[in-house]
């Protein structure tokens, strides 16, 4: 990765929810850098902090949650302390987000043409009505919507799930963001449409030269779509490597467990397998490794000392005590 420019640099990010019952540490020291033109996948079980990572970057963490430590830099600009106006402009023009459910992002009372037109006129400064309509149609063609002239007059509820998702992608890309965050963008769609949308996303990201953070609990999707994969567990990134490397040499016992039911790259649509035990309660702070209770290889040190992040080979990072001594976990 050396020589590549970082678009997003996250260091020591902690996001917590302050509830009456106690403090939930949703993100517990996230370190993550995304470079130019790179697609990074974030995988992990439900509740491990994938969405909160995205919301923290965009400063959209819902109340009573907030960022309590760490730094998020976008091209050198610190986002955690940026004022609201500038943050809004980052959200509108630099970092776009695609949500799992398009219905939350599309306004039900405006037509597709109105919604896309508003964003395009704002960002590309097109005000002439004819010119704007042409741009809107182009944006819909880019996401391969058939009969765009008809679709611009339609309301969100008149569109299928796949079409809504395409419109949302068109909206997200119409401001030419340098970073696209897609949070489970295809989970609500059927498998065939999922594949089409992911292919489209991948092609558009390559074409526009933006970086992508793709969040999913589906290993098959990141394997096919992303250059690099971060594996999250209980609010932490436990392993981070290029896709091929991660599948060839998974090094954290949690990743090894995830991949054991997923032997080959290229196997489609594999959901995460079930690993014994359950995700820990994030209201209890961990002194040591968050995976200790579910790990077959746990040692004494794992319960009381947080494993350091070790670079086991160039660009391949693992946070596990098995690696602190430089030894590869055996037997898998
Ligand atoms: N509104 C909330 N109130 C309290 N805790 C929350 C809230 N939203 C998220 N969390 C906590 O943050 C954790 C991470 O959530 P999230 O990032 O949405 O998980 P994921 O997207 O990986 O499924 C959850 O396990 C939960 O403990
Ligand atoms: Mg989520």
């Amino acid at each position: 990765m050396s020589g590549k420019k970082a678009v997003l640099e996250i260091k020591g990010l902690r996001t917590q929810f302050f509830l009456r019952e106690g403090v939930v540490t949703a993100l517990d020291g996230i370190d993550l850098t995304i470079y130019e033109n790179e697609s990074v996948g974030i995988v992990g079980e439900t509740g491990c902090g994938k969405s909160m990572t995205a919301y923290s970057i965009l400063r959209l963490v819902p109340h009573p949650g907030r960022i309590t430590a760490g730094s998020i830099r976008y091209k050198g600009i610190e986002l955690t302390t940026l004022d609201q106006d500038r943050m809004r402009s980052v959200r509108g023009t630099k970092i776009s987000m695609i949500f799992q459910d398009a219905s939350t992002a599309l306004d039900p009372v405006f037509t597709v043409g109105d919604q896309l037109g508003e964003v395009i006129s704002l960002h590309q400064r097109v005000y002439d009505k004819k010119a704007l309509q042409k741009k809107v149609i182009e944006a819909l063609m880019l996401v391969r919507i058939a009969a765009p002239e008809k679709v611009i007059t339609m309301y969100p509820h008149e569109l299928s799930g796949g079409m809504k998702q395409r419109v949302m992608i068109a909206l997200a890309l119409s401001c030419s963001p340098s970073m696209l965050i897609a949070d489970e963008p295809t989970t609500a769609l059927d498998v065939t449409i999922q594949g089409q949308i992911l292919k489209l996303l991948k092609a558009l990201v390559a074409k526009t030269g933006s970086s992508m953070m793709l969040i999913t609990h589906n290993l098959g999707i990141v394997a096919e779509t992303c250059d690099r994969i971060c594996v999250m567990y209980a609010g932490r990134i436990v392993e981070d490597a290029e896709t091929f490397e991660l599948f060839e040499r998974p090094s954290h016992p949690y990743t090894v467990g995830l991949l054991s039911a997923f032997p080959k790259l290229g196997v489609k649509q594999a959901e995460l397998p079930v690993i014994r035990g359950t995700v820990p309660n994030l209201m209890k702070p961990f002194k040591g490794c968050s995976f200790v209770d579910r790990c077959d290889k746990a040692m004494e040190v794992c319960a009381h000392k947080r494993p350091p992040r070790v670079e086991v080979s160039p660009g391949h990072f693992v946070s596990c005590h098995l690696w602190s001594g430089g030894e590869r976990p055996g037997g898998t």
Side-chain angles (χ1 to χ4, degrees):
M1 282 296 130
S2 59
K4 274 196 161 187
K5 266 204 198 141
V7 177
L8 199 71
E9 272 182 290
I10 303 176
K11 290 208 177 105
L13 175 66
R14 191 190 296 143
T15 296
Q16 297 177 300
F17 286 87
F18 295 84
L19 311 176
R20 196 167 311 160
E21 310 88 283
V23 179
V24 174
T25 303
L27 300 181
D28 187 15
I30 299 286
D31 291 312
L32 168 66
T33 302
I34 299 183
Y35 297 90
E36 259 175 5
N37 303 322
E38 193 186 33
S39 291
V40 175
I42 311 280
V43 290
E45 289 163 284
T46 300
C48 71
K50 302 181 298 295
S51 295
M52 285 311 137
T53 303
Y55 291 147
S56 299
I57 294 167
L58 291 165
R59 293 252 308 273
L60 294 174
V61 176
H63 182 80
R66 60 185 161 88
I67 296 171
T68 52
S71 149
I72 303 171
R73 284 174 174 267
Y74 167 79
K75 293 189 174 176
I77 304 167
E78 178 60 52
L79 298 185
T80 54
T81 51
L82 204 64
D83 65 67
Q84 286 298 342
D85 279 351
R86 288 180 64 203
M87 195 61 222
R88 233 189 312 274
S89 137
V90 167
R91 280 198 289 265
T93 63
K94 315 276 199 268
I95 309 176
S96 288
M97 182 149 170
I98 300 173
F99 299 88
Q100 176 176 342
D101 182 7
S103 322
T104 56
L106 298 174
D107 195 323
V109 301
F110 291 101
T111 64
V112 169
D114 285 342
Q115 294 187 55
L116 258 175
E118 190 188 334
V119 175
I120 291 173
S121 72
L122 205 68
H123 292 291
Q124 304 180 17
R125 295 168 204 277
V126 183
Y127 304 111
D128 173 68
K129 221 178 152 198
K130 268 245 166 73
L132 186 60
Q133 195 186 65
K134 195 166 157 249
K135 288 261 180 197
V136 170
I137 287 175
E138 277 169 15
L140 289 175
M141 280 163 70
L142 196 66
V143 294
R144 313 218 179 101
I145 281 188
E149 299 83 358
K150 192 171 158 230
V151 172
I152 54 174
T153 64
M154 291 165 83
Y155 290 88
H157 76 266
E158 298 177 272
L159 306 175
S160 68
M163 268 165 88
K164 268 191 262 189
Q165 212 65 5
R166 282 169 200 263
V167 170
M168 189 157 59
I169 294 170
L171 266 172
L173 291 175
S174 59
C175 55
S176 322
S178 29
M179 175 91 206
L180 183 69
I181 301 178
D183 188 0
E184 311 261 6
T186 58
T187 307
L189 306 173
D190 75 55
V191 173
T192 330
I193 313 288
Q194 272 191 15
Q196 290 171 9
I197 298 276
L198 286 166
K199 258 199 197 135
L200 177 68
L201 258 182
K202 196 177 169 183
L204 289 174
V205 164
K207 191 174 165 185
T208 56
S210 75
S211 308
M212 176 161 73
M213 180 166 147
L214 177 65
I215 294 172
T216 172
H217 61 275
N218 186 316
L219 272 168
I221 286 178
V222 282
E224 283 176 69
T225 319
C226 300
D227 305 315
R228 195 149 55 87
I229 298 177
C230 296
V231 179
M232 278 191 84
Y233 185 78
R236 299 176 181 177
I237 293 176
V238 296
E239 185 159 6
D240 168 359
E242 291 195 10
T243 304
F244 185 78
E245 167 77 10
L246 190 93
F247 277 84
E248 282 294 299
R249 281 175 286 277
S251 301
H252 192 288
Y254 178 60
T255 316
V256 171
L258 290 186
L259 295 189
S260 63
F262 193 85
K264 276 199 198 91
L265 205 56
V267 177
K268 288 193 177 173
Q269 313 299 346
E271 295 284 324
L272 296 184
V274 177
I275 296 177
R276 73 169 174 88
T278 49
V279 180
N281 177 358
L282 299 177
M283 221 177 272
K284 277 196 289 186
F286 317 109
K287 257 174 54 199
C289 173
S290 52
F291 191 56
V292 61
D293 292 340
R294 294 171 83 185
C295 185
D296 293 333
K297 299 203 164 56
M299 305 173 289
E300 212 199 313
V301 62
C302 305
H304 56 82
K305 192 174 162 213
R306 181 165 178 164
R309 186 169 179 253
V310 176
E311 190 167 17
V312 294
S313 61
H316 186 166
F317 297 89
V318 186
S319 301
C320 170
H321 284 298
L322 289 166
W323 286 89
S324 308
E327 228 172 277
R328 181 175 286 280
T332 40

